[in-house]
Amino acid sequence: MRLSRFFLPVLKETPSDAEIISHQLMLRAGMIRQQSAGIYTWLPLGWKVLQKIEQIVREEQNRAGAVEMLMPTLQSADLWRESGRYDDYGQEMLRITDRKKRDMLYGPTNEEMITDIFRSYCRSYKDVPKLLYHIQWKFRDEIRPRFGVMRGREFLMKDTYSFDTDEAAARKSYNRMFIAYLNTFTRLGLKAVPMRADTGPIGGDLSHEFIVLAETGESEVFCHADLVEMGAPGASVDFDGDLQPLVDQRTALYAATEEMHDPAAFAAVPKHRQLSARGIEVGHIFNFGTKYSEPMKANLTHPDGQDRPVHMGSYGVGVSRLFGAIIEAHHDEKGCIWPDSVAPFDLGIINMRAGDGACDSACDGAYASLVAAGLDPLYDDTDNRAGAKFATADLIGLPYQLVVGPRGLKEGKVEVKIRRSGETHELSLEDAVARLAAKDFANG
Amino acid sequence: MRLSRFFLPVLKETPSDAEIISHQLMLRAGMIRQQSAGIYTWLPLGWKVLQKIEQIVREEQNRAGAVEMLMPTLQSADLWRESGRYDDYGQEMLRITDRKKRDMLYGPTNEEMITDIFRSYCRSYKDVPKLLYHIQWKFRDEIRPRFGVMRGREFLMKDTYSFDTDEAAARKSYNRMFIAYLNTFTRLGLKAVPMRADTGPIGGDLSHEFIVLAETGESEVFCHADLVEMGAPGASVDFDGDLQPLVDQRTALYAATEEMHDPAAFAAVPKHRQLSARGIEVGHIFNFGTKYSEPMKANLTHPDGQDRPVHMGSYGVGVSRLFGAIIEAHHDEKGCIWPDSVAPFDLGIINMRAGDGACDSACDGAYASLVAAGLDPLYDDTDNRAGAKFATADLIGLPYQLVVGPRGLKEGKVEVKIRRSGETHELSLEDAVARLAAKDFANG
């Protein structure tokens, strides 16, 4: 993409109403624009990142055996009356009346709707296990939307729902999502710790939150420090195998959110491994058994001929919130530093003197070669001055910058800068392009 | 994907309330489920197709130079008061009041919001041309939602907006979209004819609808028959070049929707080329000049130092509606017949006797080989009887079926069936897999 054709409205000033760094950077780097309180447009740069986050979440759901679908944003109030949550949910639920005076709502979550879908097609124990998910915009009418996309009103969530014959089988589905979440967050460049959590309005008796540690986190968390460094199981996990040992390994050590904190148990953690910090919730999984299937009569006929309510769980990832969490974890005073996996472009090409024949032809050639190699570069071909181009490149945080200037070119040299380390390499244009195409620069 | 893990709730009966074939087939093949009037869940099979349609629309937008972003579903009423459309729009607009008593609405289209975004960042003639688009759920509270996703209330639309200095430049943006649309619909397996159209509530003086001819179309259309067979310019078009001759070629012949029909002009078309038919509108493009930029004060400073309103256009594709239009164009009495480009899976593998060792191992092997070759097969590994499997495969309309049965295997043979032609090929398992992987079967 040539910057002259792109739409990248960067701001010079930090907007005064943005309290946390991720919100500030998303506004400054032209990634989002607020339309109403807690409602954002995803400008082209931000939208590219959000799509990459979404795709990683999707791939890991598919790997774990979940099947994607899409439920609508608007729901009928009647479904929520069946479960009893219509009155419980309070003012966070955006209630809508359509032209025929029907009570509707903008879905804040989908337990009722998916239970309704399941019961209308599935009646037999042979129809399960099933893991169904969608990635859809939700709405929660927060009284005080804040922190940009971290606590927005219209937000993108991935929510999976599991259907099983009994508690033991439901636990296996729960474990699939537990492990899928670890893999997901690791691919996104995040260290997320699973913590025993309160089940809140979703209900049930088994629940974990996945928490990214960050100073700007909304809640206090307590855990064994080993959990922060424990790697994810990775793509080689056999999701059809026994996942319990992997889960046990991560639940044996102490980790709890504020609501579930047990100071006595925490005191038993070796002193130097006691970690109390602030955290950002990026995922939340629930096993809630028959809480919805019972009132909504989603039953399975078992081999013994008896009908029993299906056992369910739900598993959420805050996709738009992850955007903020990744910036909180990956930035410096100059701007964002995207992990390669979610960078909006693979690299930037900076033409220090657009209009100079040698610079233009070197940049045009490099751009064409890198595109041909399957990369997606952002080529700054504008007539801004070089200093402004460097500042923008650092602000938007592409992992690599290929810098082409008239002086260097005379000596046959260009510069590759690694955004994260600030390290620079002077080399020939050909070598630079070849090594960038081969992803041959260390980006630790 | 193994069917035993997928979620494919096919129906035996044709639902009585579905009037047109696409709606009937989408319900029967387990692609959609109605949640409320005109509001649908996209079940896994349908969601896969919708994503493929969306991706083709996206690729052709990008090729034409449009830049993707995402605006939210909910909008502030104030923006629509600025343009004057808040009161004009009537009951089709779903109006919402949030907990703080602010007037909101579920966006039916985005001219106001994009104009607001543009004016807040762009002030100079140097900031244009710009083509920005998004693919987002919209809502129109139709009084009588019908024909399934063809006239739903919550629907997926791609809408592009162009920004230019003057009328002549705006016309170039219009031409880009005109040509991009021809290429898009052709890739989707549709013959869409551009027709002069009324501008309706969007406004402006230049507008074309893209119409797919189908018996179930909602409106009557009149055109020169040559237009139906005129191919799309294709991917080799230079979108930065002069597109006017390509556009002229397609607008020189008579083509008009009912509202714009001129019987005298139509009579001048040679009798045997006069085509009057019913049509489905799948795209609509508008050049409306300064209709929004003027009241909303979206001005550009020109080289002469004067501020003048930016010239705009908008360009819509009904992405969810295309789903129905493709089925209307591609089906037979047994079910859907997907063009390869949007088929939910590349092919089906039918194990005629699941549980039989030879059949299972042949199918498992073929499945693994085809996945390794980069294909996405749906493997019917269920214990349904063969007849039901054939019926389901025909109903869901995958382009190719690989049929593996115990009798054939004894002679070292399997069968490949081309869904569209009904043609079958008996050959060895190895040859079948190799030819399917190489996409070597004619599917005319």
Side-chain angles (χ1 to χ4, degrees), chain B residues 18-185:
Chain B
E19 300 169 60
I20 61 171
I21 190 72
S22 60
H23 189 194
Q24 292 168 4
L25 288 176
M26 288 175 78
L27 292 167
R28 280 188 54 211
M31 296 191 193
I32 56 169
R33 176 171 188 272
Q34 180 171 301
Q35 298 299 146
S36 310
I39 302 181
Y40 292 88
T41 284
W42 298 81
L43 296 169
L45 195 75
W47 177 233
K48 290 197 79 163
V49 173
L50 191 65
Q51 285 179 294
K52 291 197 176 183
I53 297 172
E54 181 182 339
Q55 183 59 21
I56 288 175
V57 171
R58 171 178 292 124
E59 287 169 9
E60 295 305 324
Q61 286 296 300
N62 294 346
R63 195 195 307 278
V67 173
E68 189 175 2
M69 58 192 291
L70 189 76
M71 290 177 267
T73 59
L74 296 198
Q75 307 188 15
S76 158
D78 287 340
L79 276 179
W80 289 67
R81 292 194 178 106
E82 273 194 72
S83 73
R85 284 207 294 180
Y86 189 64
D87 294 326
D88 295 353
Y89 221 91
Q91 285 199 289
E92 275 198 15
M93 178 185 279
L94 187 67
R95 292 157 209 257
I96 301 171
T97 308
D98 75 5
R99 71 189 292 174
K100 296 200 172 153
K101 308 290 173 224
R102 283 173 293 216
D103 290 333
M104 313 283 294
L105 56 97
Y106 200 122
T109 178
N110 283 62
E111 281 82 8
E112 283 79 359
M113 189 178 278
I114 195 79
T115 305
D116 178 48
I117 292 168
F118 183 84
R119 73 179 172 187
S120 70
Y121 298 117
C122 300
R123 308 278 158 78
S124 159
Y125 72 95
K126 291 184 182 172
D127 293 327
V128 296
K130 281 281 174 278
L131 272 167
L132 301 172
Y133 76 99
H134 75 158
I135 305 174
Q136 176 61 294
W137 294 90
K138 312 284 194 297
F139 201 91
R140 287 187 195 159
D141 204 355
E142 301 271 358
I143 182 129
R144 199 157 69 102
R146 58 194 298 215
F147 299 150
V149 300
M150 300 282 265
R151 189 177 274 274
R153 294 200 294 164
E154 186 169 330
F155 62 98
L156 188 60
M157 185 162 95
K158 185 286 300 172
D159 36 328
T160 308
Y161 301 90
S162 63
F163 301 89
D164 287 284
T165 48
D166 56 27
E167 178 56 32
R171 183 65 201 240
K172 287 186 185 163
S173 295
Y174 188 90
N175 288 349
R176 279 181 191 256
M177 287 299 113
F178 190 106
I179 300 300
Y181 277 27
L182 293 173
N183 286 345
T184 302
F185 300 130

Side-chain angles (χ1 to χ4, degrees), chain A residues 70-316:
Chain A
L70 189 75
M71 291 176 268
T73 61
L74 295 197
Q75 306 187 16
S76 157
D78 287 340
L79 276 180
W80 290 67
R81 292 194 177 105
E82 272 195 72
S83 74
R85 285 207 293 181
Y86 188 65
D87 294 325
D88 294 354
Y89 221 91
Q91 285 201 287
E92 276 199 14
M93 178 185 279
L94 186 67
R95 292 157 210 258
I96 301 170
T97 308
D98 74 6
R99 71 190 292 174
K100 296 203 171 149
K101 308 291 173 223
R102 281 171 295 214
D103 291 332
M104 312 284 294
L105 56 98
Y106 199 123
T109 178
N110 284 62
E111 281 80 8
E112 282 79 359
M113 190 179 277
I114 195 77
T115 305
D116 177 47
I117 291 168
F118 182 85
R119 74 179 170 186
S120 71
Y121 298 116
C122 301
R123 308 278 158 79
S124 159
Y125 72 95
K126 290 183 182 172
D127 293 326
V128 296
K130 281 280 174 280
L131 271 168
L132 301 172
Y133 76 100
H134 74 159
I135 304 175
Q136 176 63 293
W137 293 91
K138 313 284 195 296
F139 201 92
R140 287 187 195 159
D141 204 355
E142 300 271 358
I143 183 129
R144 200 157 69 102
R146 59 194 297 215
F147 300 150
V149 301
M150 300 282 265
R151 189 178 274 275
R153 294 199 294 163
E154 188 170 329
F155 62 98
L156 187 60
M157 186 162 94
K158 185 286 299 174
D159 36 327
T160 308
Y161 302 89
S162 62
F163 300 88
D164 287 284
T165 47
D166 56 28
E167 178 55 33
R171 183 64 200 238
K172 286 185 186 165
S173 295
Y174 188 89
N175 288 349
R176 278 180 191 256
M177 287 298 114
F178 190 105
I179 300 301
Y181 277 27
L182 294 173
N183 286 346
T184 302
F185 300 129
T186 297
R187 282 186 65 191
L188 294 170
L190 295 174
K191 288 178 178 163
V193 179
M195 304 198 177
R196 280 298 285 229
D198 192 20
T199 56
I202 304 284
D205 58 2
L206 174 62
S207 177
H208 285 90
E209 286 181 17
F210 289 76
I211 304 278
V212 174
L213 305 185
E215 283 167 28
T216 48
E218 289 186 286
S219 60
E220 203 170 358
V221 297
F222 306 86
C223 71
H224 193 299
D226 285 5
L227 284 171
V228 181
E229 297 309 322
M230 202 177 281
S236 62
V237 166
D238 173 12
F239 278 97
D240 295 331
D242 182 10
L243 301 173
Q244 197 63 50
L246 288 171
V247 173
D248 288 345
Q249 196 187 352
R250 283 156 180 91
T251 51
L253 297 176
Y254 187 85
T257 59
E258 210 163 357
E259 302 80 27
M260 300 292 279
H261 184 46
D262 173 355
F266 189 50
V269 174
K271 204 90 193 161
H272 69 288
R273 303 308 285 157
Q274 287 178 11
L275 185 64
S276 77
R278 299 201 71 78
I280 301 167
E281 180 202 323
V282 289
H284 201 159
I285 62 178
F286 301 90
N287 176 352
F288 46 69
T290 60
K291 179 181 153 85
Y292 299 91
S293 54
E294 227 165 318
M296 294 184 71
K297 301 190 180 59
N299 294 318
L300 297 177
T301 306
H302 284 243
D304 62 7
Q306 298 294 307
D307 283 359
R308 284 190 283 276
V310 64
H311 280 251
M312 293 175 57
S314 72
Y315 313 88

Side-chain angles (χ1 to χ4, degrees), chain A residues 16-90:
Chain A
S16 58
D17 58 334
E19 300 170 60
I20 61 172
I21 189 72
S22 59
H23 190 193
Q24 292 167 6
L25 289 175
M26 288 174 79
L27 291 168
R28 281 188 54 211
M31 297 190 192
I32 56 169
R33 175 170 189 273
Q34 181 172 301
Q35 298 299 146
S36 310
I39 302 181
Y40 292 88
T41 283
W42 299 81
L43 296 169
L45 195 75
W47 178 233
K48 288 197 78 160
V49 174
L50 192 64
Q51 284 179 295
K52 290 198 177 183
I53 297 172
E54 182 182 338
Q55 184 58 22
I56 288 175
V57 170
R58 171 178 292 125
E59 287 170 9
E60 295 305 325
Q61 287 296 301
N62 294 347
R63 196 195 306 279
V67 174
E68 190 174 3
M69 59 192 289
L70 189 75
M71 291 176 268
T73 61
L74 295 197
Q75 306 187 16
S76 157
D78 287 340
L79 276 180
W80 290 67
R81 292 194 177 105
E82 272 195 72
S83 74
R85 285 207 293 181
Y86 188 65
D87 294 325
D88 294 354
Y89 221 91

